[in-house]
Amino acid sequence: MPIRVPDTLPAAETLTREGVAVMRETDAVRQDIRPLQIGLLNLMPNKIRTETQLARLIGASPLQVELTLVRVGGHQPKNTSAEHLISFYQTWEEIRERKFDGFIVTGAPVEQMPFEEVTYWDELVGIFDWTRTNVHSPFYICWGAMAAAWHFHRLPKYHLDQKAFGVFRQRNLAQASPFLSGFSDDFLIPVSRWTEVRREDVLARPALDMLVDCEKTGPCLLQDAARRSLYMFNHVEYDSFSLKEEYERDVSQGLPIAVPHNYFPGDDPARPPLNRWRSHAHLLFGNWINQTYQTTPFALDEIGRQVTTAI
């Protein structure tokens, strides 16, 4: 089954060219089927690129998925047109009465700020708490994962002296986890952050299971099994040229940045990078969607009826 997106969403044309099955809204309404409801709270500055990256992974599922694009209402992005936001995004206030099978919260370029100093922190805390009652399975990514892990589990973040930047080898610590079904014992994932969480802090929190770890960049993927929540601290969703664009941006601005680790062939920025994480990105999102489908109530109204005590 294809992913269901608005008829004129720019990502739809890109995904169609790539061979991803896309169903337009006008066609989907004729099918008598309950699609999985997936919300995407997009906190990244380039919203079109991020929504395309994530829709690409969600759209590879054999299930029909309806993607709802969400933004915080208290922040006006500088890199996305108001027309695009009005046409394709809803604020959290506009969708807060809805229930979702899955809900993704992306990273954001605010990781070096204390959480409480982010301008939309209070609204984001409200969204995090809302996921406890209105979302069956949340999926937090990069800064979104650090922010949620801090809010729910008081898992601290630490500033790095140098940016963790490149493609790093990860270790599969939970081969029996359904979220890692089909994963290799080790594999590569892009990393791009100035902060980290630490193993000893994760191990001190029994509610969190460490599924994937990296010797050089620390914990990668955590699970809160009681809440069916995943915390991904790296950018598994990145496409082939995301790190290249970040590197060239920082070089052009005269910022201190090293060549991304293990990314360009021969560490030569003049050579096109090789994507060596695509298959595991698809595996992770496919497994998450499959687990969500297997465990979510058929009736959306039943989501959140049985709520355990928050950590």
Side-chain angles (χ1 to χ4, degrees):
M1 286 290 183
I3 183 173
R4 175 177 169 180
V5 298
D7 288 1
T8 56
L9 185 71
E13 182 178 348
T14 300
L15 298 177
T16 299
R17 287 199 306 267
E18 295 177 359
V20 177
V22 175
M23 175 172 284
R24 308 288 178 154
E25 285 183 319
T26 49
D27 296 324
V29 295
R30 296 199 294 267
Q31 290 196 352
D32 185 16
I33 190 172
R34 158 141 137 60
L36 279 180
Q37 298 293 323
I38 303 294
L40 170 58
L41 179 65
N42 192 349
L43 303 175
M44 293 293 279
N46 189 330
K47 298 204 179 314
I48 293 176
R49 182 172 65 183
T50 300
E51 69 203 26
T52 302
Q53 291 171 346
L54 289 166
R56 177 185 293 123
L57 298 172
I58 296 169
S61 168
L63 305 169
Q64 187 184 134
V65 176
E66 181 175 349
L67 182 63
T68 299
L69 301 176
V70 185
R71 64 181 180 89
V72 292
H75 176 71
Q76 185 62 39
K78 298 179 181 179
N79 299 305
T80 304
S81 71
E83 180 182 0
H84 184 82
L85 296 175
I86 292 171
S87 298
F88 302 113
Y89 279 78
Q90 300 178 63
T91 65
W92 171 61
E93 288 290 339
E94 292 172 325
I95 57 95
R96 65 183 302 171
E97 300 303 321
R98 289 180 55 185
K99 300 289 184 78
F100 289 87
D101 301 295
F103 197 83
I104 300 169
V105 180
T106 73
V110 293
E111 60 175 329
Q112 298 191 69
M113 299 173 60
F115 292 119
E116 293 78 7
E117 292 184 10
V118 175
T119 56
Y120 49 82
W121 178 250
D122 289 342
E123 183 176 1
L124 189 59
V125 165
I127 295 172
F128 286 155
D129 289 338
W130 167 86
T131 65
R132 293 301 205 196
T133 56
N134 287 60
V135 176
H136 180 70
S137 181
F139 192 153
Y140 308 107
I141 298 175
C142 203
W143 181 84
M146 291 188 178
W150 170 250
H151 175 63
F152 290 127
H153 303 282
R154 283 300 182 257
L155 185 69
K157 67 174 181 177
Y158 300 88
H159 289 270
L160 298 170
D161 293 332
Q162 292 184 327
K163 187 177 184 179
F165 191 46
V167 181
F168 292 86
R169 190 163 295 281
Q170 313 290 326
R171 295 182 297 156
N172 182 344
L173 303 180
Q175 294 182 12
S177 168
F179 296 109
L180 299 181
S181 177
F183 270 64
S184 305
D185 293 339
D186 64 8
F187 48 92
L188 297 168
I189 288 183
V191 180
S192 178
R193 47 182 166 81
W194 281 97
T195 54
E196 67 176 358
V197 298
R198 295 180 178 169
R199 297 178 189 90
E200 57 268 28
D201 293 329
V202 174
L203 296 175
R205 287 158 174 80
L208 295 174
D209 301 312
M210 189 156 51
L211 304 185
V212 178
D213 185 38
C214 176
E215 181 179 350
K216 293 184 177 180
T217 61
C220 170
L221 180 67
L222 309 182
Q223 175 190 14
D224 178 351
R227 294 292 182 171
R228 298 173 298 274
S229 301
L230 289 180
Y231 299 82
M232 163 58 70
F233 298 116
N234 301 321
H235 282 291
V236 67
E237 82 283 1
Y238 268 9
D239 55 35
S240 301
F241 295 98
S242 297
L243 292 177
K244 180 178 187 293
E245 292 170 2
E246 290 183 15
Y247 172 72
E248 291 176 346
R249 177 200 64 200
D250 288 356
V251 168
S252 69
Q253 295 176 0
L255 299 175
I257 187 67
V259 173
H261 171 77
N262 195 30
Y263 177 58
F264 295 109
D267 288 332
D268 181 359
R271 299 175 65 183
L274 298 176
N275 188 317
R276 292 176 289 170
W277 61 91
R278 184 185 296 114
S279 58
H280 284 90
H282 279 279
L283 269 177
L284 179 61
F285 274 81
N287 289 341
W288 173 64
I289 290 173
N290 182 57
Q291 285 302 301
T292 300
Y293 173 76
Q294 296 291 337
T295 59
T296 194
F298 179 80
L300 277 170
D301 288 344
E302 294 295 318
I303 291 175
R305 291 287 177 87
Q306 295 180 341
V307 180
T308 57
T309 303
I311 300 299

